[in-house]
């Protein structure tokens, strides 16, 4: 088998520079130019970029056991996340996934709906008509508050000294430091007194202190060794038992909580932020959203029972994650043996790259890919998208464990905000994508709040709920 086509790159660096300069668009360009499988070299590493859903299924599902996430990911992430779900492999990963899965059962996460709406309403109480806000910062704070409450029942107010706030600050330091390491392509030994290492050390000390305290308090509140179910994810993780009756150790709990906190807010925040941006640029796609929330909710806060009647709102979120997938690239997978994927031989030790950002913009799967068109995700049309051609949450045994949680959260937040405000992009700012661990707007996102209607706080004050779903209109597209 011959090696697939791809960019030549420079003698020593290979494709390092174009990738580091603008990773998303570089991957998109080579995917468009070279097709289903693209070979590239970065320094001495061999990468195969997969752009075909069948090949992607092979790597993520059918032959997943022949790959492991790349060493670079482990080196960078495990310093903070230890041996949690994101950063473990093999039988250990399978056990942890088994133990954590019940915490994400739909029945269980449905209990978090009220919390999600309540925190959104708190945010709206701060918003003032015609005010200009950094919506990226607001969404980040909101999703962090929600993950703190649902994960370990803590109020993540931003005051200093508050556990969740300190954990949040530590996570952001960690993300910053990790982004630098990804850009460099290697980690520096933790003992080197670089600025990043010093920052990471302090952040890690705070992070560990608070997480250990939270877990110890739970243990201390146990009665006769029985952990009380406080309704949060941590309770579920503590109560979880494997078939042999074993439960997670405190160290394992620490690693899983650290992982869920880190993985569980920035991604959702970015999805929401990009959705407000896309809607502000595409009035034709925004109009049905406002119609839908007005018809169904009539000024009251949404509940879980409303979600099936708000399908367009969900379509907006799905289309946003097509164009702006928060996880714009999956962790590279390293072949543990020689593997054949479709027509391609992937030698042991080489890496497979799957980049939702590039995949989701291929015209083969998404005609006029640069256009924001939520109607791609009507139930009928969504079925026509190849299963591994749309991957905001990854796929296979390592698919995002929080995917239902995140979709429910984004759905509720979007419906709560959309009926109260229309968000307009403040002109004159450059909206640039920062492709770091997640895909975020590089300089925040300043938006002006146009009021739509006042809140109706009690169900009694509201008009009866409209049960039928609004009809979708053909949405005119603007660039
Ligand atoms: C819109 C929001 C989210 C997006 C786009 C997203 C995306 C992803 C993706 C693509 C992966 C797979 C990465 C890979 O295969 O390399 C993943 C894994 C993971 N996500 Fe999410 N995620 C989101 C929200 C959440 C939330 C809310 C939580 C938890 C509360 C969470 C927890 C995790 C965990 C623990 C993993 C590792 C799973 C494993 O390897 O077994 N994520 N996420």
């Amino acid at each position: 088998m011959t090696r697939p086509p791809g960019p030549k790159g420079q003698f020593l660096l290979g494709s390092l520079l174009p990738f580091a300069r603008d990773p998303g668009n570089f991957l998109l360009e080579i995917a468009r130019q070279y097709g289903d499988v693209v070979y590239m070299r970065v320094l001495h590493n061999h990468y195969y970029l997969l752009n075909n859903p069948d090949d992607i299924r092979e790597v993520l599902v059918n032959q997943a056991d022949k790959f492991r996430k790349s060493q670079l990911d482990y080196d960078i992430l495990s310093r903070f996340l230890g041996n949690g779900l994101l950063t473990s492999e093999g039988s250990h990963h399978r056990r942890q996934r088994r133990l954590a899965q019940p915490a994400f059962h739909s029945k269980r996460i449905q209990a978090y709906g009220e919390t999600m709406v309540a925190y959104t309403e708190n945010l709206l109480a701060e918003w003032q008509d015609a005010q200009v806000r950094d919506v990226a910062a607001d969404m980040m704070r909101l999703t962090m508050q929600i993950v703190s409450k649902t994960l370990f029942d803590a109020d993540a107010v931003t005051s200093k000294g508050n556990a969740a706030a300190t954990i949040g600050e530590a996570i952001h330091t960690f993300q910053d430091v990790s982004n630098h390491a990804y850009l460099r392509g290697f980690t520096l030994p933790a003992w080197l007194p670089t600025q990043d290492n010093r920052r990471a050390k302090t952040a890690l000390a705070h992070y560990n202190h608070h997480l250990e305290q939270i877990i110890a308090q739970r243990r201390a509140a146990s009665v006769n060794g029985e952990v009380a179910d406080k309704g949060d994810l941590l309770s579920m993780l503590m109560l979880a038992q494997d078939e042999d009756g074993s439960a997670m150790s405190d160290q394992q709990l620490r690693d899983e909580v650290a992982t869920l906190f880190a993985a569980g807010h920035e991604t959702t925040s970015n999805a929401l932020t990009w959705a407000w941006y896309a809607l502000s640029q595409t009035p034709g796609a925004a109009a049905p959203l406002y119609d839908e929330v007005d018809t169904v909710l009539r000024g009251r806060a949404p509940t879980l029972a409303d979600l099936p009647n708000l399908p367009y709102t969900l379509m907006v979120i799905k289309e946003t994650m097509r164009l702006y997938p928060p996880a714009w690239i999956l962790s590279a997978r390293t072949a543990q043996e020689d593997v054949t994927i479709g027509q391609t031989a992937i030698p042991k030790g080489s890496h497979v790259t799957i980049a939702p950002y590039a995949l989701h913009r291929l015209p083969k799967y998404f005609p006029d890919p640069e256009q924001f068109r939520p109607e791609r995700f009507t139930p009928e049309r969504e079925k026509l998208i190849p299963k591994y051609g749309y991957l905001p949450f990854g796929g296979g045994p390592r698919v995002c464990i929080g995917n239902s949680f995140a979709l429910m959260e984004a759905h509720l937040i979007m419906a709560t905000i959309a009926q109260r405000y229309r968000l307009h992009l403040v002109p004159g700012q450059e909206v640039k994508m920062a492709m770091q661990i997640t895909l975020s707007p590089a300089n925040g996102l300043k938006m002006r709040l146009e009021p739509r209607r006042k809140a109706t706080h009690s169900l009694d004050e509201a008009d009866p709920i409209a049960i039928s779903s609004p009809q979708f209109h053909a949405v005119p597209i603007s660039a």
Side-chain angles (χ1 to χ4, degrees):
M1 283 185 224
T2 52
R3 201 175 247 177
K8 274 217 160 10
Q10 290 177 333
F11 171 55
L12 284 173
L13 300 178
S15 295
L16 179 67
L17 292 181
F19 179 76
R21 224 176 275 131
D22 188 357
N25 287 317
F26 172 67
L27 294 178
L28 178 56
E29 258 169 44
I30 60 175
R32 287 192 175 150
Q33 188 176 345
Y34 299 106
D36 282 350
V37 187
V38 184
Y39 168 79
M40 64 182 160
R41 183 176 57 79
V42 175
L43 300 169
H44 60 283
N45 295 306
H46 304 277
Y47 285 90
Y48 294 78
L49 172 69
L50 300 188
N51 306 306
N52 175 315
D54 292 335
D55 292 344
I56 292 174
R57 183 201 299 265
E58 283 300 304
V59 173
L60 293 184
V61 187
N62 299 345
Q63 302 195 56
D65 54 347
K66 296 181 185 159
F67 294 90
R68 47 174 286 154
K69 288 188 177 181
S70 80
Q71 194 55 41
L72 181 64
D73 280 301
Y74 288 115
D75 290 348
I76 293 176
L77 300 179
S78 53
R79 183 165 178 193
F80 251 70
L81 308 182
N83 209 6
L85 275 175
L86 263 176
T87 42
S88 54
E89 287 285 343
S91 58
H92 180 77
H93 174 262
R94 281 194 293 278
R95 173 179 188 264
Q96 288 307 115
R97 184 89 194 195
R98 228 174 17 245
L99 288 175
Q101 201 70 56
F104 290 91
H105 191 277
S106 58
K107 284 255 158 39
R108 185 79 188 186
I109 60 169
Q110 280 170 8
Y112 304 137
E114 274 178 32
T115 302
M116 292 166 175
V117 173
Y119 278 104
T120 312
E121 298 225 299
N122 285 352
L123 173 68
L124 290 177
E126 271 179 44
W127 283 12
Q128 287 163 22
D129 298 356
Q131 200 182 19
V132 168
R133 309 263 326 180
D134 179 351
V135 170
D138 277 344
M139 294 300 115
M140 188 72 85
R141 186 156 55 100
L142 174 59
T143 54
M144 190 191 291
Q145 287 171 336
I146 290 171
V147 82
S148 308
K149 189 73 184 170
T150 53
L151 185 52
F152 39 70
D153 195 27
D155 279 308
V157 287
T158 43
S159 63
K160 289 271 175 221
N162 171 282
T166 316
I167 292 173
E169 280 165 28
I171 277 286
H172 289 140
T173 304
F174 151 68
Q175 278 163 341
D176 224 28
V177 169
S178 305
N179 285 329
H180 297 164
Y182 274 116
L183 278 182
R184 268 197 313 271
F186 58 90
T187 49
L188 296 167
W191 52 262
L192 269 183
T194 62
Q195 198 193 12
D196 271 357
N197 271 344
R198 282 200 302 269
R199 288 175 67 207
K201 197 171 162 198
T202 312
L204 188 58
H206 288 156
Y207 201 50
N208 283 340
H209 170 72
H210 284 295
L211 292 181
E212 282 158 15
Q213 224 176 22
I214 288 169
I215 293 167
Q217 279 164 2
R218 285 297 166 89
R219 289 269 185 239
S222 315
V223 181
N224 299 331
E226 292 275 311
V227 179
D229 185 355
K230 294 191 68 160
D232 54 14
L233 293 167
L234 176 59
S235 302
M236 283 301 275
L237 298 179
M238 293 182 89
L239 287 164
Q241 287 190 346
D242 214 349
E243 285 145 2
D244 61 4
S246 61
M248 287 190 211
S249 66
D250 283 0
Q251 179 61 44
Q252 200 53 53
L253 282 168
R254 178 259 168 232
D255 291 351
E256 294 307 354
V257 171
T259 300
L260 292 174
F261 192 88
H265 70 286
E266 184 167 324
T267 39
T268 316
S269 156
N270 285 333
L272 284 159
T273 302
W274 287 117
W276 297 124
Y277 171 71
L279 289 167
S280 75
Q281 300 306 292
T282 326
L289 170 73
Y290 296 119
D291 282 356
E292 179 174 275
V293 291
D294 289 351
T295 317
V296 176
L297 300 172
R298 304 192 174 205
R300 71 181 166 76
T303 65
L304 275 185
D306 293 311
L307 294 186
N309 298 322
L310 296 166
Y312 187 82
T313 311
L314 186 59
M315 287 159 52
V316 166
I317 295 159
K318 289 181 174 173
E319 174 67 347
T320 303
M321 290 196 297
R322 180 186 70 78
L323 269 176
Y324 307 98
W328 63 278
I329 189 167
L330 304 188
S331 296
R333 297 327 204 238
T334 307
Q336 301 303 295
E337 54 189 270
D338 291 345
V339 187
T340 303
I341 299 293
Q343 304 302 312
T344 310
I346 305 210
K348 179 177 176 181
S350 24
H351 311 285
V352 167
T353 300
I354 298 166
Y357 178 83
L359 183 69
H360 294 178
R361 287 174 183 243
L362 292 179
K364 195 153 85 170
Y365 307 116
F366 300 98
D368 299 323
E370 309 295 328
Q371 306 285 337
F372 182 74
R373 289 182 184 160
E375 71 273 21
R376 296 181 205 270
F377 289 91
T378 58
E380 309 73 50
R381 290 192 196 163
E382 192 176 7
K383 282 190 206 128
L384 304 176
I385 301 172
K387 181 138 188 262
Y388 289 83
Y390 175 69
L391 292 174
F393 294 108
R398 307 209 66 142
V399 70
C400 175
I401 200 169
N403 62 0
S404 307
F405 180 108
L407 281 178
M408 179 176 104
E409 181 183 7
H411 203 170
L412 286 169
I413 292 175
M414 179 144 263
T416 309
I417 294 178
Q419 58 170 343
R420 297 274 302 286
Y421 287 100
R422 184 187 294 261
L423 279 58
H424 298 277
L425 190 70
V426 174
Q429 63 184 311
E430 190 190 6
V431 180
K432 246 176 74 181
M433 292 188 222
M435 296 191 141
Q436 301 185 324
I437 295 186
T438 62
L439 172 61
S440 60
N443 309 306
L445 193 70
K446 291 199 181 47
M447 301 196 86
R448 186 173 48 77
L449 309 177
E450 180 197 340
R452 298 195 62 243
R453 66 194 298 166
K454 293 284 168 222
T456 314
H457 284 293
S458 113
L459 274 182
D460 300 332
E461 291 168 36
D463 294 333
I465 307 165
I467 300 295
S468 64
S469 307
Q471 294 299 304
F472 303 121
H473 334 295
V475 183
I477 302 296
S478 66

